Amino acid sequence: MTIPFLDLQAINHEYADELKAACARVIDSGWYLMGEELSRFEADFADYCAVTHAVGVGNGLDALTLVIRAWKEQGKLRDGDEVIVQHNTFIATLAAIIENGLTPVLVDTDLTTFNLDVGAVAAAITGKTRLIVPVHLYGQLAPMPEIMALARQHGLLVLEDCAQAHGASLQGRKAGSWGDAGAFSFYPGKNLGALGDGGAVVCNDAALATLVRALGNYGSRIKYQHEYAGVNSRLDEIQAAILRVKLARLDADTERRRLIAERFTAQIHNPLINVPRATHREGHVWHLFVVTCRCRDALKDYLTERGIQTNIHYPLAIAEHPPYRHLTIPTRAQEAAQNQQILSIPLYHTLSDAAQVHLIDALNHFGSAQ
């Protein structure tokens, strides 16, 4: 049996008729940017996240970048300000910080959840700190009550990187509704994925939402009047229409992911493999199912031989990439060598029961078959 790491063809086949109808509706409308589909998706997504504003942008990186840029325009951030962020995030989080002239401060993560360690955040706060960027890694919410308490104590902004956490919630509050703003990606492989690039900013601040929209529209709120040095970053009508279809099914798809993840955690019992755990069921949407193994490379090869495709998120630490070698990796992160042990295995809502059984059986026999 062959199990792809992610089967987008099977995932999108479930919505095929609705997706084709949505695309046809946009094509027939003759309106392809900043139209009715975008307005409706933004309203739907804001409602889903329980916030008052959602602004569609070109991708997840732009969502992060434009929020930080907007806060600079408002005078809330300045060049050189320090931003606390975890060491194990995807490179986009760092790119948004550095592109805006701010200084990332990498901190340790919890070794169980891979999310921000609150104690490490507290220890990293200095007189130059102005922003915390918690990344809800792999689909599990960071400890937001504690992070928000720290932020309010020190007068800091909080920007949630929600690129992997569509629909995750904690204490009844969704990802994106905890901080001063949230940034989402709709990359095709996300739990809520477009058929191309896309992203969104969510917040409860009308002035921030208006400014983000203007910055992503060449710095313009009124056509041919440019108040800011903006960029072109807009969620187009076809992607918005596609996302409206998928958003209506997101909770059902997420429940299916949770059930599969729960089966994995209950039935994978190989002592060589550590499986992830959800601190709160509603707080994890299982964008990725990441196991750890001291002989990770051997495990990856073993699974490949059995037709199971895997991935590594992420194979290199941030400071191992040439543009970021000047950054300091937290001590515990170096000791844990997390990026040398992690392995992402297939988990998506269309994963068949037979595939699940094959995957569980293969993982449980690793080591004994070597």
Side-chain angles (χ1 to χ4, degrees), residues 35-77:
E36 189 70 20
E37 296 291 344
L38 176 61
S39 296
R40 289 182 178 179
F41 171 70
E42 288 175 337
D44 291 346
F45 194 61
D47 183 64
Y48 180 80
C49 295
V51 297
T52 53
H53 302 281
V55 180
V57 298
N59 52 68
L61 171 58
D62 286 356
L64 291 164
T65 303
L66 290 170
V67 173
I68 297 174
R69 169 73 187 284
W71 281 333
K72 289 186 72 177
E73 291 285 352
Q74 293 176 331
K76 296 180 179 181
L77 294 173

Side-chain angles (χ1 to χ4, degrees), residues 89-276:
T89 184
F90 180 57
I91 212 72
T93 318
L94 270 291
I97 294 167
I98 292 173
E99 183 177 332
N100 276 294
L102 307 186
T103 302
V105 177
L106 302 180
V107 301
D108 275 316
T109 55
D110 182 281
L111 297 180
T112 301
T113 66
F114 298 100
N115 278 330
L116 272 178
D117 180 291
V118 176
V121 174
I125 295 173
T126 71
K128 296 181 179 180
T129 308
R130 294 292 180 271
L131 172 63
I132 303 173
V133 181
V135 182
H136 306 312
L137 203 67
Y138 306 150
Q140 180 157 223
L141 273 185
M144 292 309 297
E146 295 86 353
I147 289 171
M148 294 308 300
L150 267 179
R152 297 304 174 240
Q153 178 185 348
H154 294 276
L156 308 178
L157 294 165
V158 176
L159 171 56
E160 296 176 69
D161 185 336
C162 307
Q164 300 184 11
H166 310 71
S169 65
L170 191 59
Q171 298 179 3
R173 296 180 61 176
K174 290 272 183 68
S177 70
W178 284 90
D180 298 287
F184 286 85
S185 166
F186 303 128
Y187 182 77
K190 303 298 184 183
N191 291 27
L192 179 61
L195 299 187
D197 266 324
V201 171
V202 299
C203 64
N204 289 310
D205 183 337
L208 177 63
T210 299
L211 183 50
V212 166
R213 190 181 303 280
L215 289 170
N217 187 39
Y218 297 100
S220 173
R221 288 184 294 176
I222 301 172
K223 194 170 184 177
Y224 300 133
Q225 296 182 28
H226 304 275
E227 302 168 65
Y228 313 97
V231 297
N232 178 357
S233 182
R234 302 172 296 201
L235 183 66
D236 67 62
E237 287 287 282
I238 280 187
Q239 298 302 341
I242 287 166
L243 289 166
R244 287 182 63 205
V245 171
K246 291 190 170 188
L247 181 60
R249 304 269 292 274
L250 180 57
D251 284 346
D253 293 346
T254 298
E255 180 59 21
R256 174 66 174 162
R257 298 178 86 102
R258 285 182 175 135
L259 291 172
I260 296 171
E262 288 165 1
R263 182 179 190 180
F264 285 174
T265 57
Q267 296 183 20
I268 297 170
H269 49 72
N270 189 328
L272 297 175
I273 299 169
N274 295 313
V275 296

